[in-house]
């Protein structure tokens, strides 16, 4: 039954009643007239008395039987007798609405990699900079298969493409991930980053983020899939990002990890996209959402998903979390009770052994 605190009586359709009635079920005709919220008359066949069991208590309560088919309603005449677990009901209702919102925005969680519409990143270089070309570094045989698999996937996603010639070439650094795969990063500190003009767009401070969450009760954390690589590079920037691997040269068509200006470029793009939505903070590829009420929280989430969808971006659903009591962000725990330092971040300091000599004391002081 749907709980309706606006309904003075509880209703059941004749169609639903036919599924549960027995030989003792008797409809008693009544002269009562029922109207909908908009003033339309409801066709009433009569009432039936039913036995209601809830949390160890039994009551005999009336149900108004109406023509047609509709959702059974639990109105105020039952609510005065049946003591419901309102917190659980509200939680179930929120979960149902959340699932409806996610179903409406399935394209944001689609397979593959999104691409930001109408935006191209540009890497600004110092004038007359001499191109730098580095040979491919030796890759351990144990990592070659993983690296080749990653190259194939990046090609299939449209992130990189093979090229025969390039004035720029950056060696790669394969980084092991928790899922057993590798992340392919160009070692741009030896090439591009030496001459790249770093975007000065500021990243948010934890104090600014927390101020935005003041009054929030629950928290949602969204994770953008491959983050930077959903932003296309302009044509002049693409050759600058060429990487050199044991499988040859590959040029990036999307903004790669490792470029010094990439975080600021991405932060600017995301803040421009989601500006004006209250209770929302962005730190590069993480989006945090909250609200003073669950209804407000859902409204903010809906607006964020709608804008991401229109922009052509995609999220990694497995790494998204919804309606959490607290969330770890930038080394802090954020909850309705305030901002706290994450225990995992101070554990090493608290459990460090007492220094026994001057060098150990100096190493310990660096932790603070």
């Amino acid at each position: 039954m749907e709980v309706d605190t606006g309904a003075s009586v509880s209703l059941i359709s004749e169609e639903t009643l036919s599924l549960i009635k027995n030989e003792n079920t008797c409809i008693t005709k009544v002269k009562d007239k029922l109207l909908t919220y908009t003033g339309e008359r409801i066709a009433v066949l009569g009432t039936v008395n039913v036995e209601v069991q809830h949390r160890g208590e039994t009551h005999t309560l009336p149900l108004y039987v109406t023509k047609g088919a509709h959702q059974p309603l639990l109105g105020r005449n039952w609510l005065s007798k049946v003591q419901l677990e309102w917190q659980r009901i509200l939680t179930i209702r929120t979960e149902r609405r959340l699932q409806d919102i996610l179903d409406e925005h399935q394209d944001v969680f689609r397979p593959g990699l999104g691409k930001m519409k109408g935006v191209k990143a540009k890497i600004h270089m110092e004038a007359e900079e001499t191109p730098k070309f580095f040979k491919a570094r030796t890759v351990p045989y144990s990592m070659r298969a993983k690296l080749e698999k990653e190259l194939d996937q990046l090609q299939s996603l449209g992130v990189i493409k093979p090229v025969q010639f390039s004035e720029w070439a950056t060696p790669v650094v394969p980084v092991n991930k928790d899922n057993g795969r590798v992340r392919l990063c160009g070692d741009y500190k030896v090439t591009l980053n030496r001459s790249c003009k770093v975007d000065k767009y500021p990243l948010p401070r934890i104090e600014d983020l927390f101020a935005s969450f003041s009054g929030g009760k629950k928290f949602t954390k969204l994770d953008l899939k491959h983050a930077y690589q959903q932003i296309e590079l302009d044509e002049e920037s693409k050759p600058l990002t060429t990487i050199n691997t044991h499988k040859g040269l590959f040029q990036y068509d999307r903004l790669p990890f490792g470029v010094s200006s990439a975080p600021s470029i991405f932060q600017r793009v995301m803040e421009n996209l989601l500006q004006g939505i209250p209770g929302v903070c962005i730190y590069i590829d993480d989006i945090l959402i909250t609200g003073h009420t669950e209804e407000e929280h859902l409204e903010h989430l809906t607006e964020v998903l709608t804008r991401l969808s229109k922009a052509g971006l995609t999220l990694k659903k497995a790494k998204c979390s919804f309606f959490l009591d607290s969330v770890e962000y930038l080394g802090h725990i954020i909850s309705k009770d305030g901002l706290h330092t994450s225990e995992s971040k101070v554990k090493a300091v608290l459990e460090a052994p007492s220094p026994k000599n001057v060098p150990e004391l100096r190493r310990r002081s660096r932790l603070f």
Side-chain angles (χ1 to χ4, degrees):
M1 302 178 77
E2 180 179 340
V3 178
D4 187 352
T5 56
S8 58
V9 297
S10 299
L11 307 177
I12 190 171
S13 69
E14 59 178 332
E15 181 179 295
T16 304
L17 181 63
S18 67
L19 301 175
I20 61 174
K21 71 179 182 179
N22 54 41
E23 64 276 6
N24 297 321
T25 303
C26 179
I27 299 178
T28 303
K29 291 186 178 181
V30 293
K31 295 182 179 181
D32 299 343
K33 294 180 181 180
L34 300 181
L35 301 176
T36 66
Y37 177 76
T38 56
E40 298 172 353
R41 188 168 180 174
I42 300 174
V44 178
L45 298 177
T47 63
V48 293
N49 290 323
V50 296
E51 188 177 271
V52 179
Q53 295 180 350
H54 179 66
R55 301 183 72 177
E57 296 185 356
T58 302
H59 303 276
T60 299
L61 301 173
L63 262 180
Y64 280 74
V65 183
T66 61
K67 287 185 177 181
H70 61 75
Q71 174 75 29
L73 296 182
L74 195 159
R76 293 197 302 273
N77 64 331
W78 278 33
L79 290 172
S80 63
K81 298 291 184 181
V82 180
Q83 301 301 313
L84 300 180
E85 301 171 73
W86 285 106
Q87 186 57 48
R88 183 167 178 266
I89 290 172
L90 293 174
T91 299
I92 293 172
R93 182 178 293 179
T94 298
E95 290 174 352
R96 185 179 298 171
R97 284 206 57 201
L98 172 62
Q99 189 57 54
D100 289 342
I101 291 171
L102 298 182
D103 290 342
E104 291 172 7
H105 297 86
Q106 274 299 314
D107 59 320
V108 177
F109 303 102
R110 67 185 181 274
L113 187 63
K115 183 169 71 172
M116 185 79 170
K117 296 177 182 177
V119 174
K120 290 189 178 183
K122 182 175 183 60
I123 300 173
H124 296 275
M125 301 291 292
E126 298 290 347
E128 299 180 0
E129 180 59 34
T130 303
K132 298 177 177 62
F133 189 103
F134 281 77
K135 294 181 179 179
R137 291 173 181 167
T138 303
V139 178
Y141 286 105
S142 61
M143 294 190 69
R144 285 200 174 191
K146 293 181 180 180
L147 182 56
E148 290 170 5
K149 185 177 181 179
E150 183 67 10
L151 288 169
D152 291 340
Q153 184 186 32
L154 291 176
Q155 286 185 76
S156 66
L157 293 173
V159 176
I160 61 174
K161 64 183 179 184
V163 293
Q164 287 187 315
F165 307 101
S166 177
E167 292 184 320
W168 290 84
T170 298
V172 296
V173 181
V175 179
N176 285 310
K177 298 170 68 175
D178 293 338
N179 60 8
R181 301 180 60 175
V182 297
R183 170 175 288 171
L184 189 64
C185 297
D187 188 8
Y188 290 108
K189 67 178 182 291
V190 301
T191 55
L192 194 57
N193 290 347
R194 292 190 172 187
S195 311
C196 176
K197 294 181 180 178
V198 179
D199 194 315
K200 299 298 184 181
Y201 194 83
L203 297 179
R205 301 180 306 152
I206 186 63
E207 294 82 2
D208 299 331
L209 294 176
F210 181 65
S212 301
F213 295 146
S214 178
K217 301 295 188 294
K218 299 278 186 176
F219 303 90
T220 288
K221 187 176 181 180
L222 303 180
D223 185 83
L224 284 158
K225 190 184 298 182
H226 296 288
Y228 304 164
Q229 294 173 356
Q230 296 196 53
I231 307 295
E232 188 177 6
L233 287 167
D234 71 352
E235 292 304 319
E236 293 181 358
S237 301
K238 291 178 181 180
L240 305 174
T241 64
T242 303
I243 54 175
N244 205 348
T245 75
H246 70 286
K247 296 286 289 183
L249 298 171
F250 293 87
Q251 177 181 288
Y252 273 91
D253 284 337
R254 309 284 187 93
L255 184 62
F257 294 101
V259 175
S260 58
S261 58
S264 294
I265 291 173
F266 194 79
Q267 184 74 23
R268 184 197 303 273
V269 169
M270 293 307 302
E271 287 193 4
N272 287 340
L273 176 64
L274 301 179
Q275 65 178 334
I277 308 177
V280 175
C281 287
I282 306 110
Y283 190 85
I284 307 180
D285 60 339
D286 285 332
I287 303 171
L288 275 189
I289 304 169
T290 191
H292 293 91
T293 64
E294 293 189 352
E295 182 68 27
E296 194 176 82
H297 190 145
L298 290 168
E299 290 176 1
H300 298 165
L301 174 61
T302 301
E303 182 62 24
V304 169
L305 294 178
T306 299
R307 293 195 191 183
L308 292 177
S309 176
K310 290 181 179 179
L313 301 177
T314 53
L315 299 170
K316 186 181 293 183
K317 194 170 185 178
K319 295 187 70 174
C320 294
S321 303
F322 303 92
F323 279 82
L324 300 173
D325 291 324
S326 63
V327 64
E328 185 167 346
Y329 207 58
L330 300 179
H332 293 76
I333 301 295
I334 301 174
S335 70
K336 64 179 181 180
D337 300 320
L339 179 69
H340 311 281
T341 304
S342 173
E343 291 184 5
S344 62
K345 301 300 180 183
V346 299
K347 184 178 180 181
V349 177
L350 297 176
E351 296 182 355
S354 300
K356 297 180 175 58
N357 50 52
V358 173
E360 288 185 3
L361 178 61
R362 287 173 178 164
R363 283 196 297 271
R364 180 69 182 270
S365 66
R366 294 192 192 103
L367 293 175
F368 297 94

